[in-house]
Amino acid sequence: MEYTRIIRELREKMIVSQKELADLLDVNFTTISRWENGKCEPTIKAKRKIVALCKKYKIFTGK
């Protein structure tokens, strides 16, 4: 998956800040920034939460 695109698109659809999304995913807001900039990838636990939010907000994640 393209987490850089997915995280940004998810935030835009939900109309939330990096901090607000970080709180929903139980991570630091700096982590969200790193994901969006492609500096690192979410953990498996975070990926599960991201996929669930993507399904809820009808964001295509590929595959």
Side-chain angles (χ1 to χ4, degrees):
M1 279 192 231
E2 305 167 18
Y3 286 97
T4 303
R5 176 190 62 80
I6 291 168
I7 297 297
R8 184 166 286 125
E9 189 175 337
L10 184 59
R11 281 196 321 105
E12 289 172 359
K13 271 221 169 163
M14 294 177 67
I15 311 171
V16 297
S17 67
Q18 288 181 340
K19 171 74 172 114
E20 291 168 323
L21 182 58
D23 291 343
L24 285 171
L25 297 175
D26 295 321
V27 297
N28 190 299
F29 81 94
T30 309
T31 303
I32 300 294
S33 177
R34 288 181 182 145
W35 292 347
E36 283 189 4
N37 292 314
K39 293 182 180 176
C40 64
E41 194 172 291
T43 64
I44 296 296
K45 183 178 177 181
K47 286 178 182 180
R48 288 183 190 127
K49 291 179 182 181
I50 292 166
V51 168
L53 287 172
C54 286
K55 286 179 183 178
K56 181 177 180 179
Y57 287 93
K58 297 181 174 93
I59 296 171
F60 179 70
T61 57
K63 292 187 180 183

